[in-house]
Amino acid sequence: MGGGKSKEAALSGQDELILKVTKEIMVKFIEIGRISTTNFVETFKMVNETVRQSLKT
């Protein structure tokens, strides 16, 4: 229960950046109606992996 920041502190700077970019893309997809609750998880995984791969190159 205590130490709510322990998981957040474990993220590297790059992982944090990946999550922020993924979040922003997902927000835009939600705003334009591109995704729904039924495909959110699948889309999040795809966007996250795409962002991760783009940072490697």
Side-chain angles (χ1 to χ4, degrees):
M1 291 223 180
K5 294 260 182 186
S6 63
K7 286 186 180 182
E8 290 176 21
L11 291 178
S12 71
Q14 185 171 353
D15 287 336
E16 187 175 341
L17 177 62
I18 290 168
L19 284 175
K20 285 181 179 182
V21 171
T22 302
K23 175 189 153 195
E24 288 301 316
I25 293 169
M26 294 299 289
V27 166
K28 293 298 180 189
F29 281 173
I30 290 168
E31 288 175 349
I32 64 171
R34 173 116 174 127
I35 62 170
S36 66
T37 55
T38 57
N39 62 356
F40 181 87
V41 174
E42 181 180 310
T43 304
F44 184 90
K45 289 177 182 178
M46 288 188 323
V47 170
N48 188 269
E49 186 58 31
T50 301
V51 171
R52 188 173 300 279
Q53 291 297 322
S54 70
L55 288 176
K56 287 184 180 181
T57 58

